[in-house]
Amino acid sequence: LALALVCAALAAVIPGDAEGAVGQPLRVVLLGDSYSAGNGADNYWGPEGCYRSTENWAEQYLDTIRPSRPVTFVNRACSGGVLDDFTQPNEMGDDLHSLLMPADVTSTSDPRIMPAIESAGACDTSYPGDEAYDIDVIAATPNTFGGTTVTYSCTRYLEPQWDAVGEDTDLVMFSIGGNDVEFSSIIENCFAVVLRDVGTCREKIESAQEEIVEVGTRTESFLRALKLRMRPDAKIVLKSYPYLEKNPDYTLSNLLPWPFDDSYAVGSEIRQLGDLGDQAQQAAVDAVNAEGGAQAIFVDEIKPHFAGHEPDGRVCCENEDRWINEFDGFTRMEWYHYNGTGHTEVARVLAGYGDFGTSSSPTSNAGVDIAFVIDTTGSMGSAINSVKAAATQLVNTVTAQTSAARFALVDYRDFPVRTGTPTDYPAKLDQDFTSDAATINGAIQSLVLGNGGDLPETMYSGLATAFDLTWRPGVKKMAIVLADAPPLSPEPFTGLTGLDIVLRSLAIDPVEVHVVDVRSAMTSELTEVVERTNGGVYRTTPSQAATQIAAAIDVSLQRPYAWAGGPYVGAVGKTHTLDGRGSYGIAGEIVSYEWDVDSDGIYDYSGASPTATHTYTAPFDGLVTLRVTDSTGRVGLSTTVGHASVDGDEIPAAEDNCPAATNPGQEDWDGDGVGDVCDETHGLPHVGEGKPGVVDNGDVRDPDGDSTPGSVTTFREPHFNVASTIESAEDRADYLGVQHPGGRLQVQLVGLHADYDLALTDLAGNVLERSAEDGKRSEKVRATLAAGRYLIAVLPKEGEFDAKHEYHVNANVLG
Amino acid sequence: MPRTTIAVAVAAVAVAAAAAGCLHDGDEPSAKLQALEADPMATYEPPDAELVDTESQSEGETTLGKPQGARYTRLFALQGDGEQAFDDAVAAARSAGWTFEEEPSTDAFGGTVGLATRTLSTGTARLSISLLVDEQVVREGVDPPALRISLEHV
């Protein structure tokens, strides 16, 4: 009967409610780079450096859909994203930390260390399943306080973006490829005048033109693999980029005298690069569409729609009607990205496609992640045999209804030091999430019993191990505990309590904790865990364990689907619209929406409307919980991040390089520890208003009086060693005179802190010998010359200078 | 005349990193870049080909703050049969231990691209071998066909 109920629940579709959207649910995942995540749209949230915005084009586009369909939207795009980030973890850097431990902690493998690190919270994330840390305990050394200092590193990484995509996903949208061809280097070398250089700009664009071939092929491979994760009726939208220069005839020149003069038609070349990118991406889309399956759509209207609204790369001018930032503001990650208008205009283009013809997952509860957490101590024999006997039927029944179900298996016993059995363990992951029925069945059949010792067991370690898995966003999540004994609490070594389990569950939107109790597992604390996570308790006999697991799944799947929207991140005083419109009923219409905005377990707002407004009046860092109730009284829960701070970003104040102003990227141009946005001496070179990062290249001055051949009045005889500086980016050359007695002359330029070249010239500045090593490498020229006066030219590459450090020139006659 | 520029990008990254206040010393190739440069495909030379350009880049950040991976890329102007040169390069890569998960395929510009991976001491690396036949995707001054061999850390 219970298995039949599972089928019924999976097939039931009663979307909509009295005031929410009434159409088919729509599940959307956004992947990609900064042109997807939200750079330039403000209202940022999420893992540091990703620049996800609640105002990006995807959100604005979906706002046109939300009135008619309940939308679950997951943004996994991240600034800097490349194709590899779709399918592989994206390492975001690491930090070193230390903590004080007792003196008897003498080894990095001491079991007390990891719980202590977790308690310290330095490697915590507000976005589990999306952002994670690898913890590496580096050293445990005695300290002068009579204890041990444990040093460890936290390596931050983002989970593969496509982990959020599955059979339940109706629509995937993304832009990609720009960073694969080093878009950022092109911008800085072609447009940021203090950095730009004609030759490097040319090299970067030419390299990108050649690399587009490879990137197009890799895009095609990715689309092919992505389609295999999605239903045949799902849609994939690949959005093109705009042109990055308004003027096709814009030419970049370095204004140096012959023979150093150079120019490059950057306007036409970078626009052609954009066209080549479109050609490659359209070809990739066409190729995979020819193979059937989920349809990919290449949205190529962005360039024509943005015509005339691109940045003006000329130093003289700004495009007053730009939809893409030039060098606006102090946030480098917003430069040459959509501004607010740009995001709105992209959304407008997409709105022209309606909902891209998306259907909905054939069952409203198609997405479900189920982790079995099973006590495998000796007393569980008959219960496990029941589950083993029914496992195939149980799993097959669910997977027959939808391949969007995933299963994982964790078992737990107790610490070996407590049981005396070396083969025991607090918890073990037997099978990570899989949608393959045979795989999970195999794992269940492979369960063996251990000892476990006394009655309380390490159930919380088992649940914590399950929670550490990568759960999909926007699907039902269940941890089904099969146990005959209560949890240890607080658990030795880990310190886990029921409250920890509740908080970790809620942080994953939440994971419902269902307990199938075959003897005497329940305690008051465990009951609270079940209640606060919206789970259930199923008391049964060991032989009926499998039936009760099926009942647990049935109960969960009939509950209304809740989606809390958000995250709700901003400064204290900002008013948020809490948006539960993505929620929908299963067994009945949703009749109430309740919001707990401060994680205190008390619902602060309730009503029949799916939306409410809230203003944080004090700093807050926690979860916002939405509870929906349907007409049958069934309840669904959803959580999302809530964060209010003085400056509105999510960087902890103690670590924030500008705690008084929003700077989620922590930009610090001069590296002085003070963020640019609140650093009066930020060091960003700029001239005039509105173009930080830009120096007028046409305004070549001679600030130190030695920047032209004709200005040289002093001629030194070798052997000499002189020191000087390039004063500014406008100081395009320093000339030194040399009175050469004749023979082989060697000149060296050393001690460089910027990229300078060296030349030996005649008195008119005509180059006789030149050295152009890369970067800050020393330069050297040798020439056999007749006796006479010559000039030594120190030539900073365009925009290069270091007024703080002197360069050194020495001249010697060899042999 | 084709020109040869070597390690331009390394210097660019070094300058960028310094400007951004980073601590990287871009003048010294990173361990990842050194691992790429030590791979046989970093020194493989197609017959009847002229090296046009070499770019090497350590991992780091651009001045604008975007991450960049370690990469070692060479471009060759081919004098003879481009397809043969491509096949030879793929064969050399296979001999050197690179695994092609998919067979090389025609790209959007009429050329051919082969993608392979290999585990180096510093992590997973990707090799791409591109036969460029369309002048739109070959730099000015180089007549197609050209062969691009790029190694990068994933």
Side-chain angles (χ1 to χ4, degrees), chain A residues 34 79-80 84 88 179-180 182-185 187-188 195 202-204 206-207 209-214 217-218 221 224 272 276 279-280 283 332-333 335 337 668-669 671 755 774-777 800, chain B residues 3 5-9 11 14-16 18-21 27 53 55 57 62-68 71 75 102 105 107-109 113 115 126 128 130 132 136-140 148 150 152 154:
Chain A
S34 52
S79 182
D84 286 332
Q88 296 169 57
N179 294 312
D180 289 278
E182 300 192 1
F183 136 89
S184 177
S185 291
I187 297 304
E188 67 191 39
L195 301 169
R202 178 191 291 111
E203 288 169 8
K204 290 295 178 184
E206 287 179 340
S207 292
Q209 288 171 340
E210 290 154 0
E211 188 157 22
I212 270 178
V213 176
E214 172 201 333
T217 301
R218 289 170 54 210
S221 296
R224 190 171 288 117
Q272 185 192 1
L276 292 173
Q279 190 176 336
R332 278 176 279 156
M333 288 294 192
W335 294 351
H337 289 84
D668 181 10
W669 181 270
D755 190 359
D774 298 313
K776 294 174 280 187
R777 290 177 179 152
E800 288 287 316
Chain B
R3 60 199 166 76
T5 57
I6 299 176
V8 170
V15 172
D27 283 340
D53 192 16
E55 290 183 20
Q57 169 181 293
T62 70
T63 303
L64 298 187
K66 293 289 182 71
Q68 290 188 147
R71 178 182 295 181
L75 182 72
E102 297 179 13
S105 59
D107 64 62
F109 304 93
V113 176
L115 301 171
R126 175 174 46 243
S128 70
S130 305
L132 309 175
Q136 290 186 99
V137 292
V138 182
R139 66 189 60 197
E140 191 177 337
R148 181 176 181 274
S150 180
E152 62 184 311
V154 175

Side-chain angles (χ1 to χ4, degrees), chain A residues 316-335:
Chain A
C316 65
C317 315
E318 293 179 0
N319 183 352
E320 299 292 341
D321 193 17
R322 59 187 179 275
W323 296 350
I324 300 167
N325 287 320
E326 296 179 359
F327 296 94
D328 301 311
F330 292 98
T331 305
R332 278 176 279 156
M333 288 294 192
E334 293 181 339
W335 294 351

Side-chain angles (χ1 to χ4, degrees), chain B residues 5-146:
Chain B
T5 57
I6 299 176
V8 170
V10 173
V13 168
V15 172
C22 301
L23 301 177
H24 311 298
D25 183 1
D27 283 340
E28 292 297 325
S30 69
K32 288 183 175 179
L33 177 56
Q34 290 183 46
L36 295 177
E37 291 178 338
D39 187 86
M41 289 309 292
T43 51
Y44 171 78
E45 293 189 3
D48 296 328
E50 183 176 5
L51 181 63
V52 175
D53 192 16
T54 301
E55 290 183 20
S56 60
Q57 169 181 293
S58 295
E59 70 276 15
E61 271 188 3
T62 70
T63 303
L64 298 187
K66 293 289 182 71
Q68 290 188 147
R71 178 182 295 181
Y72 186 78
T73 302
R74 292 178 301 152
L75 182 72
F76 296 91
L78 300 175
Q79 311 301 323
D81 182 349
E83 292 182 7
Q84 185 62 52
F86 178 86
D87 292 342
D88 290 347
V90 169
R94 291 189 203 276
S95 297
W98 290 88
T99 301
F100 290 79
E101 291 186 6
E102 297 179 13
E103 285 301 306
S105 59
T106 302
D107 64 62
F109 304 93
T112 313
V113 176
L115 301 171
T117 56
R118 185 183 186 191
T119 302
L120 304 179
S121 60
T122 46
T124 303
R126 175 174 46 243
L127 168 71
S128 70
I129 302 174
S130 305
L131 174 63
L132 309 175
V133 299
D134 187 331
E135 64 179 13
Q136 290 186 99
V137 292
V138 182
R139 66 189 60 197
E140 191 177 337
V142 177
D143 293 327

Side-chain angles (χ1 to χ4, degrees), chain A residues 628-639:
Chain A
V628 297
T629 305
D630 69 13
S631 55
T632 72
R634 291 178 170 86
V635 168
L637 281 188
S638 174
T639 57

Side-chain angles (χ1 to χ4, degrees), chain A residues 507-549:
Chain A
I508 320 175
D509 184 32
V511 178
E512 297 176 355
V513 176
H514 296 259
V515 180
V516 177
D517 181 3
V518 298
R519 192 164 291 118
S520 54
M522 296 310 297
T523 63
S524 58
E525 183 184 85
L526 186 57
T527 300
E528 186 178 353
V529 169
V530 168
E531 290 175 350
R532 292 190 63 183
T533 62
N534 203 31
V537 178
Y538 310 86
R539 298 182 191 278
T540 185
T541 61
S543 62
Q544 293 296 307
T547 303
Q548 288 304 312
I549 286 177

Side-chain angles (χ1 to χ4, degrees), chain A residues 8-159:
Chain A
L10 287 166
V13 182
I14 311 174
D17 54 82
E19 299 195 24
V22 296
Q24 292 288 310
L26 179 64
R27 297 171 188 277
V28 184
V29 178
L30 181 68
L31 311 177
D33 55 18
S34 52
Y35 271 70
S36 290
N39 295 46
D42 209 355
N43 292 301
Y44 301 117
W45 64 271
E48 182 181 342
C50 278
Y51 289 86
R52 293 175 190 159
S53 170
T54 53
E55 303 293 331
N56 69 1
W57 56 261
E59 292 272 16
Q60 294 189 49
Y61 158 66
L62 291 171
D63 277 343
T64 67
I65 308 290
R66 287 181 170 115
S68 57
R69 297 179 69 174
V71 175
T72 297
F73 174 57
V74 176
N75 183 350
R76 285 292 170 86
C78 188
S79 182
V82 294
L83 274 160
D84 286 332
D85 299 336
F86 284 165
T87 58
Q88 296 169 57
N90 178 15
E91 191 174 315
M92 303 289 281
D94 53 20
D95 289 315
L96 273 182
H97 302 273
S98 62
L99 61 92
L100 301 179
M101 299 282 293
D104 61 343
V105 174
T106 57
S107 162
T108 56
S109 60
D110 190 299
R112 291 169 290 180
I113 291 179
M114 287 308 290
I117 290 174
E118 290 179 6
S119 294
C123 309
D124 282 355
T125 175
S126 298
Y127 300 95
D130 181 358
E131 180 185 54
Y133 289 87
D134 275 340
I135 299 172
D136 182 21
V137 181
I138 298 167
T141 53
N143 59 38
T144 56
F145 310 111
T148 296
T149 297
V150 172
T151 306
Y152 60 101
S153 68
C154 300
T155 301
R156 187 167 73 99
Y157 64 92
L158 302 180
E159 300 287 0

